[in-house]
């Protein structure tokens, strides 16, 4: 639901297993430009960042976490109004399953797999792409509210699609005895998934 301290919306800052040091600047700018937000920052294995954030920003409006269990990450996702981070496939998928809009940036350092995630976010309308996470638009909460309808329409069936592919591969008898991989690829392509 995204409700938090004193009725404030929660922004979850989540870069996966190891948050970059620039997260400190993102937090500083967000606290100044969007004081209505409660921030939850997941630092993952970056203990230096975690210590600095705890020293400079931790309090009722800025919760700082290190390495967490998957269950605790899900709790944070479920209580967030928006997720801010890099467009990693895992983080974006988790946010989508929890029906939480994703805010990310597009820049030249984006990895190839993240580039396709950016296109997906944009085409599906499940988040917004800003030029720079350190300088969020003033109408951030308004812009993410338009993503809610698109998120409600999402039906993430990836686990079922993967199991259908595995069943198909297993049914292609002889694949492990040198069967032509073009046949195996055709078997997978013939699946009616998606």
């Amino acid at each position: 639901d995204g409700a938090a301290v004193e009725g404030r919306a929660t922004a979850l800052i989540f870069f996966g297993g190891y948050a970059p040091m620039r997260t400190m600047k993102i937090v500083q700018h967000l606290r100044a430009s969007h004081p209505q937000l409660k921030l939850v920052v997941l630092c993952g294995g970056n203990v230096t960042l975690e210590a600095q954030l705890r020293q400079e920003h931790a309090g009722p409006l800025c919760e700082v976490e290190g390495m967490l269990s998957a269950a605790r990450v899900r709790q944070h996702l479920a209580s967030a109004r928006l997720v801010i981070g890099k467009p990693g496939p895992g983080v974006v998928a988790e946010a989508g399953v929890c029906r939480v809009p994703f805010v990310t940036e597009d820049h030249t350092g984006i990895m190839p797999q993240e580039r396709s995630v950016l296109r997906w976010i944009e085409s599906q309308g499940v988040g917004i792409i800003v030029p720079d996470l350190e300088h969020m638009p003033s109408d951030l909460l308004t812009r993410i509210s338009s993503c809610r309808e698109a998120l409600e329409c999402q039906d993430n069936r990836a686990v079922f699609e993967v199991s259908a592919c595995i069943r198909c591969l297993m049914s292609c008898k002889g694949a492990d005895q040198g069967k032509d991989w073009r046949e195996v690829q055709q078997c997978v392509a013939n699946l009616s998934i998606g």
Side-chain angles (χ1 to χ4, degrees), residues 12-67:
L12 177 64
I13 301 174
F14 185 26
F15 284 87
Y18 196 91
M21 288 306 293
R22 73 181 282 246
T23 303
M24 178 67 82
K25 286 186 179 181
I26 294 168
V27 169
Q28 289 167 341
H29 287 280
L30 270 173
R31 293 196 72 190
S33 65
H34 294 80
Q36 75 276 26
L37 290 174
K38 175 190 177 196
L39 304 180
V40 175
V41 187
L42 305 187
C43 299
N46 191 337
V47 294
T48 303
L49 173 66
E50 180 184 358
Q52 286 180 4
L53 282 169
R54 283 189 193 284
Q55 182 178 15
E56 295 180 33
H57 295 287
L61 297 179
C62 187
E63 186 176 338
V64 178
E65 300 261 25
M67 287 299 283

Side-chain angles (χ1 to χ4, degrees), residues 84-106:
I84 299 167
K86 73 180 185 101
V91 175
V92 172
E94 287 284 346
V97 167
C98 292
R99 307 282 196 256
V100 180
F102 199 85
V103 180
T104 192
E105 65 189 341
D106 188 4

Side-chain angles (χ1 to χ4, degrees), residues 13 23 25 32 37 47 68 78 81 88 109 114 119 123 127 142 144 180 184:
I13 301 174
T23 303
K25 286 186 179 181
L37 290 174
V47 294
L68 298 175
R81 174 87 53 89
E114 293 173 342
R119 287 191 300 270
S123 70
T142 302
I144 61 138
D180 186 352
V184 175

Side-chain angles (χ1 to χ4, degrees), residues 3 23 28 73 78 112 117 120 136:
T23 303
Q28 289 167 341
V73 171
V117 173
W120 183 81
M136 293 291 185

Side-chain angles (χ1 to χ4, degrees), residues 154-175:
Q154 289 294 311
D155 185 23
N156 187 336
R157 305 201 31 85
V159 69
F160 303 108
E161 294 171 6
V162 168
S163 43
C165 286
I166 291 170
R167 280 194 307 278
C168 180
L169 287 170
M170 297 299 289
S171 72
C172 293
K173 301 203 185 309

Side-chain angles (χ1 to χ4, degrees), residues 109-177:
I110 298 288
M111 296 189 296
Q113 68 271 24
E114 293 173 342
R115 182 117 350 250
S116 63
V117 173
L118 282 175
R119 287 191 300 270
W120 183 81
I121 290 169
E122 201 165 52
S123 70
Q124 298 298 307
V126 297
I128 62 171
I129 300 167
V130 298
D132 181 2
L133 291 177
E134 292 175 29
H135 300 93
M136 293 291 185
S138 58
D139 63 346
L140 178 64
L141 292 176
T142 302
R143 289 181 62 189
I144 61 138
S145 66
S146 66
C147 303
R148 294 257 173 234
E149 188 176 325
L151 283 160
E152 290 303 318
C153 296
Q154 289 294 311
D155 185 23
N156 187 336
R157 305 201 31 85
V159 69
F160 303 108
E161 294 171 6
V162 168
S163 43
C165 286
I166 291 170
R167 280 194 307 278
C168 180
L169 287 170
M170 297 299 289
S171 72
C172 293
K173 301 203 185 309
D176 58 341
Q177 287 121 19

